[in-house]
Amino acid sequence: MPTAASLSMLANRTSHLNGRSVGLLLADGADPDLLQALRRALDKAGARLVLVAPRCTGAPLADGKMQAVDAALDGAPSCLYDHVAVLGSDAGASALSTNPAALTWLRDAWRHLKVMALDDAGMALADAAGIDHDDAVVRLDAKKSVDHFVRMATQGKHFAREGTPGTDA
């Protein structure tokens, strides 16, 4: 069959996040300031932040407040989002590292070439999931790293990852 440029993901890339969504897997003990920085940056870029947690009742943040979420992990696979993020604490990541749905959530995001924003807990969870780290896996630790994630996400899927272990290519 002949190729159709109108259907090409590469030929039709956009350099914005308007109308895109970012799924954020929220583990217990996430930093509320980092969560707010991510929310503000994505709002400014026109993207929708969707909070996902192991329980539909929400997740406790590091300041002790309960954060409401949009979806429970079991019903919100990462394939529903254009890009993903993980925030939590050491204890929160440790609990998720034994949760098959959480490991699959990250593996699928890697497999589908999504840009990923991970704090230290997210990095630990990624290690538990057995996924690698490349240029499109952004370590979140400050406002500057949030801005870097948004810039990477505006570029769309990370096609340079194709063919690496754990991808579909």
Side-chain angles (χ1 to χ4, degrees), residues 66-141:
M66 182 61 85
Q67 174 64 53
V69 296
D70 302 300
L73 176 60
D74 290 338
S78 63
C79 63
L80 297 177
Y81 312 107
D82 296 290
H83 304 290
V84 300
V86 177
L87 297 180
S89 64
D90 291 342
S94 179
L96 285 182
S97 71
T98 62
N99 182 328
L103 299 175
T104 298
W105 202 85
L106 274 174
R107 287 180 190 130
D108 285 349
W110 175 265
R111 180 176 295 115
H112 297 144
L113 313 177
K114 297 174 191 286
V115 177
M116 305 166 81
L118 310 173
D119 67 358
D120 289 340
M123 287 290 189
L125 188 60
D127 291 341
I131 64 170
D132 205 354
H133 306 283
D134 61 18
D135 293 341
V137 177
V138 177
R139 180 182 292 270
L140 290 183
D141 58 7

Side-chain angles (χ1 to χ4, degrees), residues 3 17 49 97 103 135-136 159:
T3 61
L17 289 177
L49 181 64
S97 71
L103 299 175
D135 293 341
F159 289 101

